[in-house]
Amino acid sequence: MNVIVQEEEGLFHLQSSGMSYLIQIVDGYPVHVYWGGRLQHRAAINHLLVHTWQGMGLDRLPQEYPQYGSGDFRNPAYQIELEDGTRITELKYDSYRLVKGKPVLSGLPAVYTEHEAEAETLELLLKDDYSGLQVVLRYSIFRDHNVIVRSTRLVNKGQQTLRLRRALSASIDMYGQEQLEMVYLSGAWGRESNIQRRTLPQGETRIDSKRGMSSHQFNPFAALVTPETTERVGDAYGFSLVYSGGFEAVAEVDSFGSTRLGIGVNSFDFAWQLNAGEEFQTPEAVMVYSEEGLGEMSRTYHRLYRSRLCRGKYRDQERPILVNNWEATYFDFNADKLVAIAEEGARLGIELFVLDDGWFGKRDADNSSLGDWYEDRRKLPEGLADVAKRIQGAGLQFGLWFEPEMISPDSELYRKHPDWCLHVPGRRRSEARWQLVLDYTRPEVRDYIYDSLAAIFSTVPISYVKWDMNRALTEIGSAALPPERQAETAHRYVLGLYELLERITANFPEILFESCSSGGGRFDPGMLYYMPQTWTSDNTDAVERLKIQYGTSLVYPVSSIGAHVSAVPNHQVGRITPLEFRGSVAMSGNFGYELDLTAFTEEEKDIVQRQVANYKEIRSLVQQGNLYRLKSPFEENESAWMFVSEDQMEALVYAFQVMAIPNGPQRILRLDGLKPELEYEVKSDIDEESSIYGGDQLMQLGLALRYEAKDYQSRCFRLRVRT
Ligand code: DGJ
């Protein structure tokens, strides 16, 4: 059983294979009792705890969905304005409902079950009789993953219009554990997913995005950990929001040392009018508990997101090795040039050619044509379908880039529909990269985009689409919304995007979609629901990528992490690294190339051919295995990670040394995730012979590492259980 209910005591015990989450109704409030390692269910546990809190006042009560205005002075989970201008509501518990499996969230991306037995869902109904507001707190607990998925539905059952000023997905009060620390991912364009770790002081620690997209700056994720927690040991509590727009994750430590963590749609610049009878569904927050440190937290997210968030034909399939022409040609190409790169790719074993930006309208630079989604016959005189067929003829699949959420002021579309962009009348329309954002709150705009893309999908043999999005939202307003709904624009934009993505991916299930937002500006679980892989960063430098990919893997599965070998000197940082090193870094993700293969020497082509053949052998292990991070690039000159097959019979280790160290220390790398009692045959990339070691030896004693006395060295080991 996943949810145990003791009705008389108002106790709800949600239990997975390794985790328990306890809620109790105290004085009508849903109180947060416990979240951590699995507890045996004992009827007596609640008596202890109820007495602790009764009569203590709301400011000390650990709650599940706190309100504001009646004595709790911490951040509330929601706030409502009534017609009379008052902002006080008081939700009290009314009833509960249990549902097998996990109900669908209409219009929003969500983690799902394939069989009812995988999860059970508890719904708590709370009511504020005065305003008619009803709130449904939904908790889905997975049987085999230490995961609780939370979301909230706010329903207006009264007569008056309610105005939501804040509606978070989840809030939790952690108490009895002083000095929690917060781990999160911060960054910028080209520097995504830096792992940050901060001790939480009294007061607020806030990460958020006000950009209308999840952002390069902060990922919609935070974890609470204890000071002792490391990669391998200790408690880690993860919070990941399945949402692609502006979000907030706020940890607030009160004067008694308890920590409230709230996560959801950003309440800054948000309001939502809820007419009588209407409801508002928040996105969901995926909460993971690990007692084996951040490593196991990540693996739990990976398993869940790979198999129960990503969908479609490619979910469980190995992803094609691609070559993309962006860094090879930028806007300067013709059909023959593209075909030449593809033909070279075919000779080297590459499987997919991706035509990036510049094939449509009159796009010779990034200052025009977004919205005009028809082929540029000046560049491709025989048309796009002809290029695609020639590339297919060479033996590669064909993929195409779009940026469907954007409009260039210099475009036919803008000249025809100048009000189709997000804007505020009388204000300037701030351009970024010479472009504006289409108003996806409007169905006619989404229909236009759907029809434009569908026309190409139906006439050109396309196997893959890169869906790009290269600027944040500004002057967030819609010509189609009345004044009282203007503050809904940003969230309605995201809902409109999801509606369109659902339509496109459902109607073109054969296409593999990859999302992108100037690299990782929208690398979030919301997008992964529609598109199982993401272009991780525009920064393709292998040294930078060590950090970016390592950080991204804190939440996201390796199958979703796009990683390409690019040319040197690197276009973002000018660094020159060996092709072998670039290959090893990119082969640790969803692998491809992004350079002009025809410009390579024969020697370089040989290396590429070997890399491609090698990746085909290790691909399932990398993309579907369990990831163990061994050495962090944020801490040292070395990085290492390994991939272990589900049955632990096979593994692959990559280790990297960035700068050479003269006469350096003896390097030992302790492995993880193996079966201690089994013997593994270990073969390194530099030794002729393989050696046999016990799993216990490899994990406790470790592997000796030798690097050449040069900068930018990588080592690879393949492990197989000796049978
Ligand atoms: C930004 C993307 O991240 C790049 O990979 C490339 O597709 C460019 N846009 C094209 O404009």
Side-chain angles (χ1 to χ4, degrees), residues 197 225-236 292-295:
R197 184 166 176 162
V225 297
T226 66
E228 301 77 39
T229 303
T230 65
E231 184 65 23
R232 295 184 191 204
V233 298
D235 287 336
E292 288 166 54
L294 289 163

Side-chain angles (χ1 to χ4, degrees), residues 199-341:
T199 299
L200 293 173
Q202 185 173 337
E204 272 183 28
T205 303
R206 177 185 179 91
I207 59 167
D208 80 349
S209 160
K210 301 182 185 71
R211 296 164 190 261
M213 56 200 275
S214 45
S215 89
H216 296 91
Q217 284 67 23
F218 293 107
N219 200 270
F221 162 79
L224 296 177
V225 297
T226 66
E228 301 77 39
T229 303
T230 65
E231 184 65 23
R232 295 184 191 204
V233 298
D235 287 336
Y237 303 87
F239 301 82
S240 162
L241 190 68
V242 187
Y243 190 59
S244 309
F247 73 95
E248 66 179 69
V250 180
E252 183 182 10
V253 179
D254 69 14
S255 44
F256 309 107
S258 96
T259 303
R260 172 167 293 175
L261 190 298
I263 189 164
V265 172
N266 202 336
S267 41
F268 173 79
D269 199 33
F270 166 84
W272 195 274
Q273 180 171 305
L274 210 56
N275 293 332
E278 288 182 349
E279 58 182 54
F280 180 86
Q281 173 64 57
T282 72
E284 63 185 29
V286 178
M287 296 162 47
V288 165
Y289 169 70
S290 156
E291 55 191 351
E292 288 166 54
L294 289 163
E296 186 55 27
M297 177 199 75
S298 299
R299 286 185 290 280
T300 304
Y301 276 120
H302 297 174
R303 281 185 215 109
L304 187 78
Y305 284 177
R306 203 168 51 215
S307 65
R308 293 294 180 268
L309 176 68
C310 294
R311 299 177 299 166
K313 177 176 166 192
Y314 296 93
R315 184 188 78 176
D316 304 325
Q317 271 188 25
E318 292 181 13
R319 309 294 164 71
I321 302 172
L322 64 81
V323 57
N324 176 306
N325 76 309
W326 178 242
E327 287 199 17
T329 65
Y330 295 104
F331 296 100
D332 183 18
F333 58 81
N334 57 35
D336 288 344
K337 178 72 202 170
L338 302 176
V339 173
I341 297 176

